[in-house]
Amino acid sequence: MEQKQQKNRMSYRVVALIIGLVLNAFGNALSVAANAGSGIWTAAAVNIAYWIHGNVGVILLIVGVCSALLNQVLIHQVDIPRFVGEVVFISCFSYFIDIFVAMFTKWGIPTLGLGWRMLLSILGVTIFACSISIYQRANLIMHPNDDTSNILRFMYLGGRATASQFVDFIPPIVMIAICYFFTRQIYSVNVGTLYSILFNGVIIAASDKHIMPHLYHNFRVSH
């Protein structure tokens, strides 16, 4: 526990944030391009889009803003810099995803056989789970959904990464169930999604120890 209480220099945390942001967009874009299942929050947005005939990007933005507002409730205070930072992260994240999806599409990944696409989807999920560990530890700005799991982990669940991920996955699973009730269809849920649900927390916990091990959890309630 003593190591976790240490803090890193701001320059190192900024580098970690940039690495985590780019890797997160890269991994998500790879799983999206492979079209064999992605993160559960993305899948929820896709199902909502099919239900209400909306735009997935706009829905992801709305869900992200709602998550950022929820985080204000979870930390029991109004933290404007935290909220603004999370909205900025969503904007940058979306920009990089567009770039990487276009790149992977140009490389022909969506046209590969199902077996290869499943492997690439799992690889993409693994990459973005590792990236979450990196920028959660840097704790400057992050995706609202990942900040939610970080808050749950350290304020409510005794530092357990796997438990916090499972709790964080409850809302999108409920969203998908509601959409299924109205549409009788489930979209964007495949092997990559199931892999993400089962192993996101495990990968994050392992990454905390083995990827950039000198990057400590610079967690605090208020930014």
Side-chain angles (χ1 to χ4, degrees):
M1 290 298 295
E2 181 180 349
Q3 188 185 64
K4 291 183 179 179
Q5 294 171 354
Q6 298 185 55
K7 304 298 179 185
N8 297 111
R9 290 188 304 175
M10 181 60 68
S11 58
Y12 189 54
R13 293 170 66 188
V14 170
V15 170
L17 168 63
I18 295 170
I19 292 173
L21 170 60
V22 175
L23 282 179
N24 194 3
F26 184 94
N28 269 285
L30 181 58
S31 60
V32 168
N35 195 29
S38 186
I40 188 67
W41 282 99
T42 302
V46 171
N47 280 272
I48 293 172
Y50 274 102
W51 176 27
I52 67 173
H53 306 291
N55 179 275
V56 176
V58 173
I59 292 169
L60 279 171
L61 177 61
I62 293 172
V63 171
V65 171
C66 290
S67 294
L69 291 171
L70 172 63
N71 294 338
Q72 302 287 297
V73 176
L74 291 175
I75 63 174
H76 309 301
Q77 59 183 274
V78 175
D79 187 343
I80 300 301
R82 189 187 208 114
F83 178 82
V84 172
E86 291 174 0
V87 174
V88 169
F89 188 98
I90 294 173
S91 302
C92 296
F93 174 73
S94 301
Y95 174 75
F96 282 116
I97 276 191
D98 287 342
I99 292 176
F100 287 131
V101 167
M103 180 180 73
F104 292 139
T105 301
K106 186 176 180 180
W107 289 355
I109 286 178
T111 63
L112 294 174
L114 180 59
W116 283 109
R117 289 191 291 109
M118 285 183 173
L119 288 174
L120 289 174
S121 182
I122 289 173
L123 176 61
V125 170
T126 302
I127 290 172
F128 77 64
C130 292
S131 77
I132 291 170
S133 164
I134 294 171
Y135 63 66
Q136 279 187 335
R137 281 179 284 154
N139 196 37
L140 292 172
I141 63 173
M142 66 183 78
H143 195 289
N145 296 338
D146 299 322
D147 194 25
T148 302
S149 65
N150 213 30
I151 294 167
L152 290 171
R153 177 177 179 179
F154 290 104
M155 291 185 65
Y156 297 91
L157 296 170
R160 292 174 291 168
T162 302
S164 68
Q165 284 294 305
F166 279 129
V167 173
D168 188 49
F169 286 156
I170 292 174
I173 290 173
V174 171
M175 292 177 197
I176 292 173
I178 293 172
C179 291
Y180 175 76
F181 177 80
F182 287 100
T183 66
R184 297 300 173 185
Q185 296 287 333
I186 294 181
Y187 302 93
S188 292
V189 175
N190 205 315
V191 62
T193 314
L194 298 178
Y195 176 80
S196 176
I197 292 172
L198 293 175
F199 295 108
N200 246 41
V202 175
I203 296 169
I204 291 171
S207 299
D208 286 352
K209 296 180 180 178
H210 302 296
I211 298 178
M212 300 180 72
H214 296 296
L215 178 64
Y216 309 120
H217 271 288
N218 295 270
F219 179 80
R220 64 180 186 274
V221 172
S222 178
H223 285 238

